[in-house]
Amino acid sequence: SENNSITLNSTGTNLGIGDYEFSLNAIDGPYQDDSTFYNIPPGEHTVFVRDKNGCGIAQAVINVLGFPKFFTPNDDGINDTWNIRGVKPGAFVNSTIVIFDRYGKMLARFGIFDLGWYGFYNNNQMNASDYWYLAELEDLSGQITVYKGHYSLLR
């Protein structure tokens, strides 16, 4: 989506006691007191946490996943397939994405690093409609996260 956000838990024990400010993708700032960033595009981002008392800057690289709300398989080279965006190669050891129609019929199965769904089932174009996805992504630690949602196929 276009309204992804990142929130850093600044009240937990990870940062420790201190007065912090935060920046996204820019070590020199601008910095903000709020630990939430809005309207973040899918992809890899670096979060910088700076101690206001001059005790240093910490950073962490994170990935924001994007689940497109629509795709247009018309061979114009723009949004011709549907797949999850913003995935860093090597971030997941296993992935399965399954596409269903509104009746629950499985239409496609592919991995996160495959090209995605072209809008066909048994070599037939599917109609413009809403379709559902189930994505299971296994990270390097073996944790599996499940994402569910829907999107539109536009013709």
Side-chain angles (χ1 to χ4, degrees), residues 63-82:
N63 285 283
V64 175
L65 301 180
F67 298 85
K69 297 290 184 190
F70 69 91
F71 80 117
T72 56
N74 57 6
D75 292 328
D76 67 353
I78 303 170
N79 295 321
D80 284 333
T81 61
W82 190 93

Side-chain angles (χ1 to χ4, degrees), residues 1 4 20 23 70 79 100 106 113 118 122 138 148 154:
S1 72
N4 296 316
Y20 301 104
S23 177
F70 69 91
N79 295 321
F100 301 94
M106 186 179 78
F113 297 111
Y118 290 94
N122 284 340
E138 181 181 352
K148 298 177 185 181
L154 306 175

Side-chain angles (χ1 to χ4, degrees), residues 3-130:
N3 61 354
N4 296 316
S5 65
I6 298 170
T7 300
L8 302 170
N9 183 357
S10 60
T11 60
T13 59
N14 290 342
L15 289 180
I17 298 172
D19 194 12
Y20 301 104
E21 55 189 357
F22 309 90
S23 177
L24 185 64
N25 297 323
I27 194 167
D28 294 325
Y31 280 83
Q32 63 186 38
D33 290 333
D34 187 2
S35 63
T36 300
F37 300 92
Y38 299 96
N39 300 316
I40 308 302
E44 185 175 277
H45 299 277
T46 303
V47 177
F48 297 94
V49 180
R50 180 168 71 182
D51 183 277
K52 289 183 178 182
N53 297 316
C55 292
I57 298 174
Q59 69 184 50
V61 176
I62 59 170
N63 285 283
V64 175
L65 301 180
F67 298 85
K69 297 290 184 190
F70 69 91
F71 80 117
T72 56
N74 57 6
D75 292 328
D76 67 353
I78 303 170
N79 295 321
D80 284 333
T81 61
W82 190 93
N83 202 343
I84 299 172
R85 296 181 180 159
V87 180
K88 179 183 173 184
F92 299 101
V93 294
N94 195 13
S95 66
T96 302
I97 302 168
V98 183
I99 306 300
F100 301 94
D101 68 9
R102 63 196 224 180
Y103 303 107
K105 181 177 183 177
M106 186 179 78
L107 303 175
R109 177 186 301 264
F110 52 90
I112 201 166
F113 297 111
D114 294 336
L115 291 176
W117 187 48
Y118 290 94
F120 282 78
Y121 176 71
N122 284 340
N123 294 322
N124 295 310
Q125 271 189 359
M126 297 303 296
N127 294 327
S129 186
D130 281 356

